[in-house]
Amino acid sequence: FYFRNKHRPFLLFVSLLHVHTPLITTEKFQGRSRHGLYGDNVEEMDWMVGKILDVIDKEDLKNTTFIYFASDHGGFLEAHRGNSQLGGWNGIYKGGKGMGGWEGGIRVPGIVRWPGVLPAGTVIDEPTSLMDIYPTVVQLAGGAVPQDRILDGHTLLPLLQGTEQHSRHEFLFHYCGVFLHAVRWHQKDSGTIWKAHYATPVFQPEASGACFKRGICPCFGDGVAHHDPPLLFNLSQDPSEANPLSADTEPL
């Protein structure tokens, strides 16, 4: 692929099965990690990404290639052996993969590399979406997105290049399957990010932050709690979603 396309624009999309059940790991990487099969999977994925980056560097394409690395969900928590939790880890964020609303199921790595254009070590703390990849790629290719429909994504280049300081997303809707679980509002005048949860998975056990008894959290049915009024969080002050706001304590 590279040798055919290295002298002209190319798009390489690599969708890895890794860090996703059923955790298929080649023999070379089995037992590499102290974190079970999930850890082996992470290490094999890391190796594969490294091999791709090595070729880009070797072919002297580093400064002219925009690379975006991301995940489709937050870390999968329910993988376990006996009483040992051997799944992913989402840091301070509640919940994980398969959850439509909690931050641990939505927030994913977003790592960009383009040494010739973007400064290294920059951290951008703005709500974006994987829906933004499409308009970003179209802009990079010198094209124009269709004008006969409303696109949910926005190009990431102004944020990445520093010509804009804030995400163009005012609202992001978070679905679990076809069911709306939560909505995020990026309040433009204050910069505050609010999130309302209309439905949340019922954790099993309750304090675990995951659905161990089911293997993964459901999107509907008896495994989901509905909230009326919705649970409301100020993510700018409470990114762990530990303290829902109430009309009594927060009349505004």
Side-chain angles (χ1 to χ4, degrees):
F1 174 86
Y2 286 109
F3 301 109
R4 288 201 312 271
N5 294 280
K6 66 182 182 180
H7 297 303
R8 61 184 181 182
F10 63 84
L11 171 68
L12 175 65
F13 174 73
V14 182
S15 180
L16 298 166
L17 181 68
H18 289 63
V19 202
H20 199 300
T21 51
L23 297 175
I24 297 166
T25 308
T26 60
E27 201 173 333
K28 178 181 174 184
F29 282 89
Q30 287 176 17
R32 280 277 192 101
S33 160
R34 289 182 296 176
H35 196 65
L37 200 54
Y38 193 97
D40 297 344
N41 231 240
V42 172
E43 296 206 13
E44 185 168 21
M45 180 186 66
D46 183 55
W47 175 80
M48 293 171 76
V49 172
K51 297 297 275 187
I52 295 170
L53 296 182
D54 287 348
V55 172
I56 289 172
D57 292 355
K58 193 177 91 197
E59 296 297 331
D60 204 25
L61 295 170
K62 183 166 72 173
N63 287 357
T64 54
T65 304
F66 175 88
I67 296 168
Y68 187 104
F69 174 89
S71 174
D72 65 341
H73 293 285
F76 175 59
L77 303 178
E78 283 85 1
H80 64 283
R81 187 172 59 220
N83 291 325
S84 300
Q85 188 173 335
L86 293 174
W89 182 71
N90 294 315
I92 66 169
Y93 303 112
K94 183 181 286 188
K97 186 187 224 31
M99 300 182 205
W102 295 121
E103 289 293 275
I106 295 168
R107 289 193 185 231
V108 297
I111 304 170
V112 175
R113 190 183 84 152
W114 194 4
V117 179
L118 304 176
T122 305
V123 177
I124 296 170
D125 185 18
E126 286 288 305
T128 61
S129 165
L130 291 182
M131 296 184 293
D132 298 334
I133 294 175
Y134 169 62
T136 303
V137 167
V138 170
Q139 184 179 354
L140 286 168
V145 297
Q147 298 300 305
D148 62 345
R149 70 205 70 184
I150 295 172
L151 290 182
D152 293 315
H154 301 287
T155 173
L156 292 168
L157 292 179
L159 268 182
L160 294 171
Q161 294 176 318
T163 56
E164 290 183 9
Q165 303 308 310
H166 297 293
S167 168
R168 295 180 185 179
H169 288 284
E170 183 176 6
F171 293 97
L172 285 169
F173 296 85
H174 303 300
Y175 286 82
C176 187
V178 298
F179 300 95
L180 181 66
H181 275 213
V183 178
R184 175 187 316 255
W185 178 31
H186 188 210
Q187 194 177 6
K188 294 294 184 197
D189 52 357
S190 69
T192 303
I193 299 173
W194 309 89
K195 195 160 81 181
H197 288 264
Y198 299 93
T200 54
V202 177
F203 293 145
Q204 300 171 314
E206 199 175 331
S208 66
C211 299
F212 285 105
K213 289 182 182 173
R214 290 177 180 262
I216 194 164
C217 290
C219 294
F220 63 96
D222 61 358
V224 169
H226 293 272
H227 305 284
D228 183 15
L231 299 179
L232 180 65
F233 296 93
N234 178 346
L235 293 186
S236 302
Q237 295 179 359
D238 180 23
S240 299
E241 298 174 287
N243 304 298
L245 305 176
S246 75
D248 301 330
T249 57
E250 302 276 347
L252 183 61

